[in-house]
PDB file of all heavy atoms in Angstrom:
ATOM      1  N   LYS A   5     -82.790  68.494   0.978  1.00 48.00           N
ATOM      2  CA  LYS A   5     -81.530  67.852   0.457  1.00 48.00           C
ATOM      3  C   LYS A   5     -80.953  68.715  -0.655  1.00 48.00           C
ATOM      4  O   LYS A   5     -79.753  68.917  -0.732  1.00 48.00           O
ATOM      5  CB  LYS A   5     -81.835  66.464  -0.013  1.00 48.00           C
ATOM      6  CG  LYS A   5     -81.407  65.400   0.972  1.00 48.00           C
ATOM      7  CD  LYS A   5     -81.523  64.011   0.353  1.00 48.00           C
ATOM      8  CE  LYS A   5     -81.330  62.960   1.414  1.00 48.00           C
ATOM      9  NZ  LYS A   5     -82.012  61.705   1.032  1.00 48.00           N
ATOM     10  N   ILE A   6     -81.806  69.152  -1.549  1.00 47.00           N
ATOM     11  CA  ILE A   6     -81.310  69.975  -2.685  1.00 47.00           C
ATOM     12  C   ILE A   6     -80.645  71.228  -2.156  1.00 47.00           C
ATOM     13  O   ILE A   6     -79.572  71.585  -2.577  1.00 47.00           O
ATOM     14  CB  ILE A   6     -82.475  70.339  -3.618  1.00 47.00           C
ATOM     15  CG1 ILE A   6     -82.945  69.098  -4.346  1.00 47.00           C
ATOM     16  CG2 ILE A   6     -82.066  71.404  -4.661  1.00 47.00           C
ATOM     17  CD1 ILE A   6     -84.295  69.208  -5.088  1.00 47.00           C
ATOM     18  N   PHE A   7     -81.281  71.861  -1.191  1.00 46.00           N
ATOM     19  CA  PHE A   7     -80.717  73.115  -0.587  1.00 46.00           C
ATOM     20  C   PHE A   7     -79.326  72.849  -0.012  1.00 46.00           C
ATOM     21  O   PHE A   7     -78.387  73.560  -0.236  1.00 46.00           O
ATOM     22  CB  PHE A   7     -81.613  73.644   0.521  1.00 46.00           C
ATOM     23  CG  PHE A   7     -80.998  74.838   1.189  1.00 46.00           C
ATOM     24  CD1 PHE A   7     -81.015  76.081   0.564  1.00 46.00           C
ATOM     25  CD2 PHE A   7     -80.447  74.731   2.455  1.00 46.00           C
ATOM     26  CE1 PHE A   7     -80.424  77.147   1.175  1.00 46.00           C
ATOM     27  CE2 PHE A   7     -79.896  75.811   3.086  1.00 46.00           C
ATOM     28  CZ  PHE A   7     -79.860  77.024   2.437  1.00 46.00           C
ATOM     29  N   ALA A   8     -79.204  71.670   0.674  1.00 45.00           N
ATOM     30  CA  ALA A   8     -77.903  71.325   1.249  1.00 45.00           C
ATOM     31  C   ALA A   8     -76.827  71.163   0.239  1.00 45.00           C
ATOM     32  O   ALA A   8     -75.697  71.599   0.388  1.00 45.00           O
ATOM     33  CB  ALA A   8     -78.034  70.072   2.099  1.00 45.00           C
ATOM     34  N   ILE A   9     -77.177  70.467  -0.863  1.00 45.00           N
ATOM     35  CA  ILE A   9     -76.217  70.222  -1.941  1.00 45.00           C
ATOM     36  C   ILE A   9     -75.770  71.576  -2.570  1.00 45.00           C
ATOM     37  O   ILE A   9     -74.590  71.823  -2.794  1.00 45.00           O
ATOM     38  CB  ILE A   9     -76.775  69.262  -3.027  1.00 45.00           C
ATOM     39  CG1 ILE A   9     -76.855  67.863  -2.396  1.00 45.00           C
ATOM     40  CG2 ILE A   9     -75.904  69.292  -4.265  1.00 45.00           C
ATOM     41  CD1 ILE A   9     -77.759  66.924  -3.175  1.00 45.00           C
ATOM     42  N   ILE A  10     -76.740  72.453  -2.828  1.00 44.00           N
ATOM     43  CA  ILE A  10     -76.414  73.774  -3.436  1.00 44.00           C
ATOM     44  C   ILE A  10     -75.515  74.564  -2.486  1.00 44.00           C
ATOM     45  O   ILE A  10     -74.488  75.118  -2.920  1.00 44.00           O
ATOM     46  CB  ILE A  10     -77.702  74.554  -3.740  1.00 44.00           C
ATOM     47  CG1 ILE A  10     -78.430  73.874  -4.923  1.00 44.00           C
ATOM     48  CG2 ILE A  10     -77.394  75.985  -4.122  1.00 44.00           C
ATOM     49  CD1 ILE A  10     -79.845  74.370  -5.154  1.00 44.00           C
ATOM     50  N   ALA A  11     -75.883  74.554  -1.210  1.00 44.00           N
ATOM     51  CA  ALA A  11     -75.061  75.334  -0.232  1.00 44.00           C
ATOM     52  C   ALA A  11     -73.655  74.821  -0.198  1.00 44.00           C
ATOM     53  O   ALA A  11     -72.708  75.604  -0.127  1.00 44.00           O
ATOM     54  CB  ALA A  11     -75.733  75.225   1.137  1.00 44.00           C
ATOM     55  N   LEU A  12     -73.510  73.495  -0.219  1.00 45.00           N
ATOM     56  CA  LEU A  12     -72.180  72.907  -0.198  1.00 45.00           C
ATOM     57  C   LEU A  12     -71.346  73.305  -1.411  1.00 45.00           C
ATOM     58  O   LEU A  12     -70.157  73.656  -1.301  1.00 45.00           O
ATOM     59  CB  LEU A  12     -72.356  71.361  -0.131  1.00 45.00           C
ATOM     60  CG  LEU A  12     -71.251  70.603   0.619  1.00 45.00           C
ATOM     61  CD1 LEU A  12     -71.452  70.733   2.073  1.00 45.00           C
ATOM     62  CD2 LEU A  12     -71.287  69.146   0.217  1.00 45.00           C
ATOM     63  N   ALA A  13     -72.022  73.248  -2.558  1.00 44.00           N
ATOM     64  CA  ALA A  13     -71.326  73.557  -3.791  1.00 44.00           C
ATOM     65  C   ALA A  13     -70.945  75.029  -3.876  1.00 44.00           C
ATOM     66  O   ALA A  13     -69.931  75.385  -4.405  1.00 44.00           O
ATOM     67  CB  ALA A  13     -72.212  73.208  -4.980  1.00 44.00           C
ATOM     68  N   ALA A  14     -71.787  75.902  -3.274  1.00 44.00           N
ATOM     69  CA  ALA A  14     -71.603  77.334  -3.420  1.00 44.00           C
ATOM     70  C   ALA A  14     -70.604  77.873  -2.404  1.00 44.00           C
ATOM     71  O   ALA A  14     -69.943  78.887  -2.653  1.00 44.00           O
ATOM     72  CB  ALA A  14     -72.937  78.080  -3.294  1.00 44.00           C
ATOM     73  N   SER A  15     -70.457  77.136  -1.259  1.00 45.00           N
ATOM     74  CA  SER A  15     -69.680  77.717  -0.163  1.00 45.00           C
ATOM     75  C   SER A  15     -68.224  78.124  -0.494  1.00 45.00           C
ATOM     76  O   SER A  15     -67.808  79.198  -0.108  1.00 45.00           O
ATOM     77  CB  SER A  15     -69.782  76.885   1.088  1.00 45.00           C
ATOM     78  OG  SER A  15     -69.236  75.633   0.807  1.00 45.00           O
ATOM     79  N   PRO A  16     -67.491  77.250  -1.264  1.00 46.00           N
ATOM     80  CA  PRO A  16     -66.088  77.673  -1.489  1.00 46.00           C
ATOM     81  C   PRO A  16     -66.019  78.987  -2.270  1.00 46.00           C
ATOM     82  O   PRO A  16     -65.129  79.804  -1.994  1.00 46.00           O
ATOM     83  CB  PRO A  16     -65.541  76.527  -2.298  1.00 46.00           C
ATOM     84  CG  PRO A  16     -66.462  75.391  -2.083  1.00 46.00           C
ATOM     85  CD  PRO A  16     -67.807  75.982  -1.833  1.00 46.00           C
ATOM     86  N   LEU A  17     -66.919  79.178  -3.196  1.00 44.00           N
ATOM     87  CA  LEU A  17     -66.927  80.427  -3.992  1.00 44.00           C
ATOM     88  C   LEU A  17     -67.319  81.598  -3.135  1.00 44.00           C
ATOM     89  O   LEU A  17     -66.651  82.649  -3.167  1.00 44.00           O
ATOM     90  CB  LEU A  17     -67.937  80.311  -5.151  1.00 44.00           C
ATOM     91  CG  LEU A  17     -67.476  79.385  -6.331  1.00 44.00           C
ATOM     92  CD1 LEU A  17     -68.608  79.290  -7.310  1.00 44.00           C
ATOM     93  CD2 LEU A  17     -66.224  79.989  -6.965  1.00 44.00           C
ATOM     94  N   ALA A  18     -68.343  81.409  -2.308  1.00 43.00           N
ATOM     95  CA  ALA A  18     -68.851  82.494  -1.465  1.00 43.00           C
ATOM     96  C   ALA A  18     -67.749  82.975  -0.507  1.00 43.00           C
ATOM     97  O   ALA A  18     -67.584  84.148  -0.219  1.00 43.00           O
ATOM     98  CB  ALA A  18     -70.064  82.024  -0.666  1.00 43.00           C
ATOM     99  N   ALA A  19     -66.950  82.004  -0.013  1.00 47.00           N
ATOM    100  CA  ALA A  19     -65.919  82.325   0.946  1.00 47.00           C
ATOM    101  C   ALA A  19     -64.811  83.160   0.329  1.00 47.00           C
ATOM    102  O   ALA A  19     -64.143  83.912   0.989  1.00 47.00           O
ATOM    103  CB  ALA A  19     -65.321  81.073   1.519  1.00 47.00           C
ATOM    104  N   GLN A  20     -64.597  83.073  -0.962  1.00 49.00           N
ATOM    105  CA  GLN A  20     -63.476  83.725  -1.607  1.00 49.00           C
ATOM    106  C   GLN A  20     -63.714  85.232  -1.799  1.00 49.00           C
ATOM    107  O   GLN A  20     -62.770  85.996  -1.628  1.00 49.00           O
ATOM    108  CB  GLN A  20     -63.191  83.120  -2.962  1.00 49.00           C
ATOM    109  CG  GLN A  20     -62.350  81.859  -2.792  1.00 49.00           C
ATOM    110  CD  GLN A  20     -62.272  81.085  -4.075  1.00 49.00           C
ATOM    111  OE1 GLN A  20     -62.694  81.508  -5.099  1.00 49.00           O
ATOM    112  NE2 GLN A  20     -61.762  79.862  -3.989  1.00 49.00           N
ATOM    113  N   ASN A  21     -64.934  85.618  -2.086  1.00 59.00           N
ATOM    114  CA  ASN A  21     -65.254  87.037  -2.160  1.00 59.00           C
ATOM    115  C   ASN A  21     -64.264  87.785  -3.042  1.00 59.00           C
ATOM    116  O   ASN A  21     -63.538  88.675  -2.589  1.00 59.00           O
ATOM    117  CB  ASN A  21     -65.138  87.584  -0.726  1.00 59.00           C
ATOM    118  CG  ASN A  21     -66.301  88.443  -0.406  1.00 59.00           C
ATOM    119  OD1 ASN A  21     -67.086  88.767  -1.308  1.00 59.00           O
ATOM    120  ND2 ASN A  21     -66.482  88.839   0.866  1.00 59.00           N
TER     121      ASN A  21
END
Side-chain angles (χ1 to χ4, degrees):
K5 257 190 191 155
I6 291 168
F7 175 75
I9 288 163
I10 290 169
L12 208 78
S15 60
L17 286 173
Q20 278 168 8
N21 226 350

